[in-house]
Amino acid sequence: MAGITGYIHRWTEHLLSMVYPHICEVCGGSLAEGEEMLCLECDYSMPRCNIHNQPFNIIHQRLASHIPLERAAGYFHYYRANRYTRLIHAAKYQGRPRIARILARNFAREILPDGFFQGIDMIIPVPLHRSRQLRRGYNQSLFIARGINDITAIPIAGNLVATLPHSTQTRSNAYSRWLNSRHIYSCTDASDLHGRHILIVDDVITTGATLLACCEAIHKVAPTAKISILTLAVATLG
């Protein structure tokens, strides 16, 4: 089943690339030679967070009271009126995870010269429960990890697993999100994580409940591990 799903997904992506080969995903305008997914104007206008060099940025603030983070990076601000949110929706819900890979690749290329990835040993994507991944056909966070790997060559690891289904959290407050997430994740091959610097990646951070649960699962079995976070988008709360 998983093999068939993967084949269908790859064929769909191939068809989409032929149907929409030269269209900006944000404005719908034609792409010039050398542009990929975003036109130059939309790339320039992206509401970048520019927080990866800040020692205690908004991602630290959402997680630091529970888990100490080494570094944290978010690509762009995510809010309802922001037309760039359609990139996340297309990658996550519309069968186009290649968008997440391209975004991650572009982001990694931008922050690589600042040393963000220095010393990081492995990339671990936030996992999906098997039932949800079978329905969706892919895990968009894995494509984010692949995009970063394209630029950094940092290996991708699958030590983090979702052992329980994850119910929707769209209308939940921060505490409810944390309760909903805290027992979902666990780690395999914990010996591989001891003393390592791990980069956890996801598409969006809202309250941080999901990422916090992932961090807690890793620290539970590997307390000497160092953890950094990278997300494509940082949601505005309130």
Side-chain angles (χ1 to χ4, degrees):
M1 176 65 72
I4 295 174
T5 302
Y7 174 80
I8 294 173
H9 159 66
R10 289 191 297 272
W11 180 246
T12 301
E13 283 279 275
H14 178 65
L15 288 176
L16 286 170
S17 68
M18 290 191 296
V19 175
Y20 304 108
H22 303 297
I23 300 298
C24 175
E25 294 287 346
V26 173
C27 70
S30 298
L31 294 178
E33 184 177 353
E35 294 176 341
E36 183 180 26
M37 190 178 73
L38 296 178
C39 67
L40 185 61
E41 181 177 352
C42 286
D43 181 54
Y44 178 79
S45 300
M46 177 184 284
R48 286 169 169 78
C49 296
N50 293 319
I51 59 174
H52 62 281
N53 279 329
Q54 298 175 15
F56 192 68
N57 62 45
I58 188 172
I59 297 177
H60 286 93
Q61 293 166 28
R62 293 182 188 180
L63 300 178
S65 61
H66 303 274
I67 297 292
L69 298 180
E70 298 296 313
R71 304 168 202 152
Y75 197 8
F76 60 90
H77 294 288
Y78 184 96
Y79 48 89
R80 183 172 298 178
N82 179 357
R83 58 183 181 164
Y84 292 85
T85 61
R86 71 185 63 174
L87 297 171
I88 300 297
H89 281 266
K92 191 170 185 175
Y93 301 117
Q94 297 173 10
R96 304 181 66 194
R98 178 174 174 270
I99 290 176
R101 185 169 189 166
I102 294 172
L103 286 171
R105 187 186 303 153
N106 292 345
F107 188 30
R109 189 180 292 114
E110 286 186 14
I111 65 177
L112 180 65
D114 294 328
F116 181 84
F117 299 104
Q118 186 173 355
I120 292 177
D121 298 300
M122 64 178 71
I123 306 167
I124 297 184
V126 171
L128 287 179
H129 186 261
R130 177 176 174 81
S131 60
R132 178 168 291 187
Q133 183 155 335
L134 284 174
R135 289 196 301 271
R136 187 174 295 173
Y138 59 89
N139 176 6
Q140 70 281 355
S141 294
L142 176 58
F143 279 78
I144 296 170
R146 289 172 177 169
I148 297 169
N149 171 268
D150 289 339
I151 302 301
T152 67
I154 299 172
I156 301 169
N159 301 71
L160 198 61
V161 296
T163 55
L164 295 171
H166 198 296
S167 61
T168 182
Q169 303 193 84
T170 304
R171 299 182 182 274
S172 303
N173 60 30
Y175 182 66
S176 296
R177 284 172 178 255
W178 176 70
L179 287 178
N180 187 30
S181 302
R182 63 179 309 204
H183 299 303
I184 287 177
Y185 305 104
S186 64
C187 287
T188 61
D189 299 320
S191 60
D192 295 341
L193 306 178
H194 288 291
R196 310 297 293 278
H197 189 170
I198 301 162
L199 178 66
I200 302 177
V201 300
D202 202 6
D203 52 0
V204 183
I205 179 171
T206 307
T207 64
T210 296
L211 286 166
L212 174 58
C214 291
C215 292
E216 289 177 337
I218 291 173
H219 266 197
K220 182 178 180 180
V221 300
T224 60
K226 298 178 181 179
I227 297 179
S228 291
I229 298 290
L230 182 146
T231 66
L232 292 182
V234 178
T236 300
L237 300 181

